[in-house]
Amino acid sequence: MTKTLLGKIAPERVKSLDIERPPQDLIDGFKALGDASGIVSDVMDHLGIAATLPGSLLKPTIPGATIVGPAMTLRNTVMTGHPVDNARAHRNGMAEIEAHNIAEQGDVLVIEGVPGLSNMGGISAQVAKRQGEIGAIVSGGVRDVAHSRRVGFPVWATEVSPITGKWRIETIEINGPVQIEGIRVNPGDLVVADDTGVCFIPRDRAREVLELSRKRAAAEDARCDAIDRGVAIRDLPSAS
């Protein structure tokens, strides 16, 4: 199906309507690991990929939620003009609706946002859910958390704020590279998020990370089984 924009953002600011996403078998492989941000983070340490953020920084709005999917990226900045003047003139610079419009089933919206303000609210979360997105990662504030919980749309955000971004934020790019708390995320990179944290896996390293994560998960399962069987501490399988 041909994708078209809604006219909420200049076309040249949308870098791609169709991003290159990881193969489904890779996504399914990471899903099978469960809440595995710790394992994935360990593997990325060994591979020299510094792309994990803790759950204490990117706080999940729905406890127990686990998502795995390709990043669809959006970048916001502070809008010019006074918010009161912008509100009176109905100058709304936010355009995450364009990202929802071109989203595909299973995408994760990753927003380089503005701190102290809401970069995404409840209605936006509801639209995202309907469009097939499975969650959002926001460097910046979000609001209407009860609404997003009610529709079952998990969000990991650095802040919660009731202050609207409508008259204060401008979306300047969709599906270009973004910076999430110092980590570069490209559209199509794989996002793994759970209660513990968020891992951003470069798309071209995802298969390598998955293979090693499977091995580490199997080793941890064997160690846990040995603990349950009463194996002496000195004889437990190595954790490395």
Side-chain angles (χ1 to χ4, degrees):
M1 182 177 67
T2 302
K3 295 179 180 178
T4 58
L5 297 175
L6 300 172
K8 302 296 183 181
I9 188 173
E12 64 270 16
R13 293 188 175 185
V14 180
K15 296 304 180 182
S16 177
L17 293 176
D18 292 292
I19 61 176
E20 184 179 352
R21 293 167 172 83
Q24 189 61 44
D25 72 296
L26 272 178
I27 296 172
D28 292 341
F30 279 104
K31 285 181 179 179
L33 296 175
D35 56 340
S37 64
I39 289 173
V40 172
S41 179
D42 287 353
V43 167
M44 291 200 297
D45 276 349
H46 283 284
L47 296 175
I49 305 171
T52 300
L53 291 170
S56 56
L57 178 60
L58 283 169
K59 306 171 190 69
T61 59
I62 301 180
T66 300
I67 61 171
V68 178
M72 179 176 56
T73 59
L74 182 145
R75 185 157 58 97
N76 286 334
T77 192
V78 176
M79 190 178 185
T80 59
H82 194 281
V84 172
D85 295 333
N86 291 336
R88 288 172 176 168
H90 300 285
R91 286 192 291 268
N92 183 353
M94 295 179 69
E96 78 275 12
I97 194 69
E98 291 287 12
H100 301 327
N101 182 48
I102 62 175
E104 293 188 5
Q105 185 72 36
D107 283 349
V108 178
L109 181 59
V110 178
I111 299 177
E112 178 184 336
V114 177
L117 305 174
S118 173
N119 294 261
M120 185 177 190
I123 296 295
S124 184
Q126 187 170 347
V127 173
K129 175 80 171 184
R130 191 199 68 178
Q131 295 297 99
E133 296 161 59
I134 59 173
I137 313 296
V138 184
S139 176
V142 297
R143 71 177 188 175
D144 306 331
V145 173
H147 189 154
S148 59
R149 286 190 186 125
R150 187 167 64 249
V151 299
F153 187 80
V155 179
W156 284 256
T158 56
E159 301 177 47
V160 175
S161 172
I163 305 172
T164 183
K166 288 179 183 178
W167 329 119
R168 298 172 172 89
I169 286 174
E170 181 180 7
T171 299
I172 58 174
E173 190 171 81
I174 293 174
N175 279 340
V178 295
Q179 291 287 328
I180 305 299
E181 302 302 308
I183 294 175
R184 179 186 171 103
V185 182
N186 293 305
D189 285 350
L190 200 58
V191 179
V192 174
D194 56 29
D195 281 335
T196 307
V198 181
C199 301
F200 300 104
I201 307 171
R203 186 180 58 239
D204 60 356
R205 305 291 300 276
R207 193 167 296 280
E208 180 183 14
V209 173
L210 176 59
E211 290 174 358
L212 293 178
S213 295
R214 281 171 167 162
K215 292 178 181 178
R216 181 170 286 272
E220 288 198 3
D221 287 345
R223 187 173 172 84
C224 289
D225 179 67
I227 293 170
D228 287 343
R229 288 187 288 106
V231 173
I233 292 177
R234 65 177 178 275
D235 296 326
L236 289 176
S238 172
S240 62

